[in-house]
Every structure is written in structure tokens, then in C-alpha cells.
Amino acid sequence: MKNIFKFVLMLAVFQLIGTNTKAQSVPDSTMQQIKDFRAFYETLGKVYPPDSTVTVNETTISGVKSYWFNQDLLNQGEIIVYLHGGVYTYGNFNTYRAMLTHLAKSFDSSILYIEYSLSPEHPYPTANNEIFKVYKALQKKYKNHKITVMGDSAGGGLAVALIKDAQKANLSMPASLALISPWIDLKCANDSYETKQELDPILNKGFLYSHALMYSSNNIKSADPSELKFKKFPPVFLLVGTDEVLNDDARNFYAYIDPIQEKSEFKEYDGQKHVWLFSHIDSKESVEAIKDIKQFIFSN
């Protein structure tokens, strides 16, 4: 729990931009706060050690830096693409390395982590375009591989947007998606932003909405995954804690997708906060979630 308390303290100190500030004109003082918060966020990746048995290799795909976990297992014909969270503004390879080594070990599969560009220096749609380019390249190079997409928080929203981009380009969709605590509604309009606030020590509506404005250059509707409409969608597993403001993002998206895709699944994890695997990889609920994800993605 120590890292959660550190996160709360940083949020209390970190007062972000006003709602009328455009991403292109973020003040120097705010950019310094962002850089400081990025440095802090990176330290959360050291809460537990990585699995030393998992190999990690840096690569560049279509001009986008990425990292292979268990690249030697590519001959198994499975690729899991991972899109990290961090409200489109924070997070990097060092932040997520430990968690992804444990996922790669548990799944016994290759994982590709994409180091997409961050806001506000690179607002929407830069990250979306980079992720799409990597996905397109994977489809071309690994034609006979089964590709799954995982994402947490903002990475969940990016995964949803990737499906729309793939459909527009007439590319094959991923075999399935697994989204952990996905942030899908950039308008922050779902009820749980209010009803779950007292239970959530990590996120709050103001923090999320200010970053949505920054990411979208004050045009949230254009960048908002919840505004996307689908007639078809791959099997998707939505995992969320009972104690987080993003609870309804997962719940409402499931309600929307379930009539379209009968293999959709939604599961709440009792008492869990935002992306609980990131904080405690070996907790009972994290072990359960990893088992659930593995069963889902390898059955679709």
C-alpha cells in the first residue's frame, strides 16, 4: 500500500492545468510538474522486482520504439500487444517492465510493449497513429500469428481506438482484447466518477478530465473512445476493481459491446483499486486476474 499513499501525496501536490489551457500552450511550470510526475511514476515500476527469467529486447517497428518480452517464444504463433496506461501523459518501459515480465512468464507467450509518444508534447492522434502503424506492421510480418491486445487505463482506450482504425483500413481485427481498468470515457461523465470517489485513493475526475483536455487539445469528442461506434468487435474481457472511479467505464462499455460480441466478458474484483496488478502482482486478486486473462485470451 506504500506506493498508493505516495501516489495520493503526489496528486495532492500536483495541480495541473486549467480547463481552458490548450496542449500546445502548456506553461513551462506545468511542463516541469509533468516531468516531475513522470519521474515519480517511473519509480512505481520498482515496487516489486521483474521476473529475471524473461528476456527483454528493444526493437523499432515502423519507427516506433517497442520492446519484446519472451521474443524467443514467437515461434509459438502468439503475440500479445501491450498498451500502457498513464492518462496519455505518463508511463514508459521502465514503469511497466516488472509487471510485463510477470505477465509474459504467466502467459508463457511473447508480449510486445509499444512505447508510444506522450501528451502534451504529442497530443491526439499521435499515439493512436503510432500504435496503428505497429499493429499494421505486425499483421504484415506475422501473418499466421494470433494477435491479442491488452491495455490498462488509457491503454484500454487506445486499444478500443485501434479496433476502429483497423476496421477503417480493412485490416484483420485482433483475436481478442483484455482491458484492465480501462479509461474509455474522456468526458468523465459516468456515474462512478462521483459514486466511487470516496473509495478510490488513486484517481479523481478533475485529474482525469484535465489530462483528457491536454491529450485532445481541448477537443475531447474527437479523441474520446466512448464516442466510437461499432457494428462488430472482437471478443473483449473487461476487468475492473469495485473501488475505482473508472468502474462504469468498463461496465458501460461492456453493456454496449455485449449485444455486438457474444464472447464479451466483464468481471469486477472486490475491493480492488485502479490497475491493482501494477501495485501488487502477487496478491490473491492479481493472481486471479492473470489466471482469468490467460483463460480468456487463449480460448479466443
Side-chain angles (χ1 to χ4, degrees):
M1 294 296 291
K2 183 178 179 181
N3 61 308
I4 290 182
F5 292 132
K6 285 173 61 180
F7 196 93
V8 174
L9 179 62
M10 286 295 292
L11 284 182
V13 173
F14 188 79
Q15 299 298 320
L16 197 61
I17 58 175
T19 57
N20 62 346
T21 303
K22 293 186 178 181
Q24 295 90 335
S25 59
V26 175
D28 291 343
S29 59
T30 299
M31 277 308 307
Q32 187 57 53
Q33 287 179 308
I34 289 171
K35 291 175 182 178
D36 290 344
F37 200 87
R38 284 174 179 167
F40 161 73
Y41 195 59
E42 186 172 326
T43 68
L44 298 182
K46 299 178 181 178
V47 172
Y48 51 80
D51 187 306
S52 60
T53 67
V54 174
T55 61
V56 183
N57 301 99
E58 182 179 331
T59 188
T60 300
I61 302 175
S62 295
V64 182
K65 182 188 291 187
S66 303
Y67 293 86
W68 283 110
F69 293 76
N70 279 343
Q71 187 175 11
D72 54 312
L73 297 182
L74 275 171
N75 58 5
Q76 295 182 170
E78 302 268 359
I79 297 174
I80 299 172
V81 174
Y82 197 91
L83 308 177
H84 73 84
V87 290
Y88 299 97
T89 308
Y90 314 104
N92 60 23
F93 167 71
N94 292 327
T95 313
Y96 278 84
R97 176 174 184 163
M99 186 180 80
L100 290 178
T101 60
H102 288 276
L103 292 182
K105 178 70 172 182
S106 297
F107 297 155
D108 191 30
S109 181
S110 296
I111 295 179
L112 181 71
Y113 165 91
I114 301 175
E115 190 84 289
Y116 60 82
S117 297
L118 300 175
S119 167
E121 300 96 321
H122 306 282
Y124 173 84
T126 305
N128 307 66
N129 291 341
E130 290 175 347
I131 292 165
F132 174 73
K133 286 194 299 182
V134 173
Y135 180 75
K136 184 178 180 180
L138 291 176
Q139 288 246 327
K140 183 177 180 180
K141 184 173 182 178
Y142 301 100
K143 294 180 180 179
N144 297 320
H145 281 60
K146 173 184 169 183
I147 299 177
T148 299
V149 177
M150 285 187 65
D152 73 89
S153 198
L158 287 167
V160 171
L162 174 61
I163 300 306
K164 178 58 71 174
D165 290 339
Q167 291 176 350
K168 288 180 179 178
N170 293 317
L171 295 180
S172 298
M173 291 190 293
S176 65
L177 278 71
L179 309 182
I180 306 167
S181 301
W183 183 26
I184 297 175
D185 179 18
L186 299 192
K187 298 181 296 297
C188 302
N190 291 327
D191 290 345
S192 60
Y193 286 84
E194 306 291 345
T195 61
K196 299 286 186 179
Q197 185 59 80
E198 290 187 1
L199 299 172
D200 191 337
I202 298 175
L203 296 177
N204 63 67
K205 183 174 181 177
F207 180 78
L208 289 163
Y209 189 69
S210 63
H211 283 78
L213 287 170
M214 194 162 55
Y215 165 65
S216 66
S217 298
N218 277 4
N219 186 11
I220 286 180
K221 187 172 183 179
S222 66
D224 189 357
S226 71
E227 292 287 335
L228 298 175
K229 305 303 178 186
F230 297 94
K231 293 183 178 179
K232 57 182 179 178
F233 203 85
V236 56
F237 182 24
L238 297 137
L239 304 82
V240 69
T242 58
D243 296 359
E244 56 176 310
V245 295
L246 295 183
N247 186 277
D248 280 349
D249 279 46
R251 182 186 300 276
N252 292 352
F253 190 71
Y254 171 74
Y256 173 64
I257 291 298
D258 186 47
I260 301 171
Q261 174 52 259
E262 61 181 11
K263 293 184 178 181
S264 299
E265 293 186 19
F266 169 82
K267 184 172 180 177
E268 284 185 302
Y269 294 78
D270 189 47
Q272 296 312 292
K273 317 301 181 185
H274 188 58
V275 194
W276 59 101
L277 293 80
F278 184 66
S279 301
H280 309 283
I281 195 67
D282 57 356
S283 70
K284 179 176 73 70
E285 292 81 7
S286 292
V287 171
E288 179 183 355
I290 292 171
K291 181 181 178 181
D292 292 341
I293 293 169
K294 183 175 181 179
Q295 180 177 353
F296 180 82
I297 64 179
F298 288 103
S299 64
N300 285 291

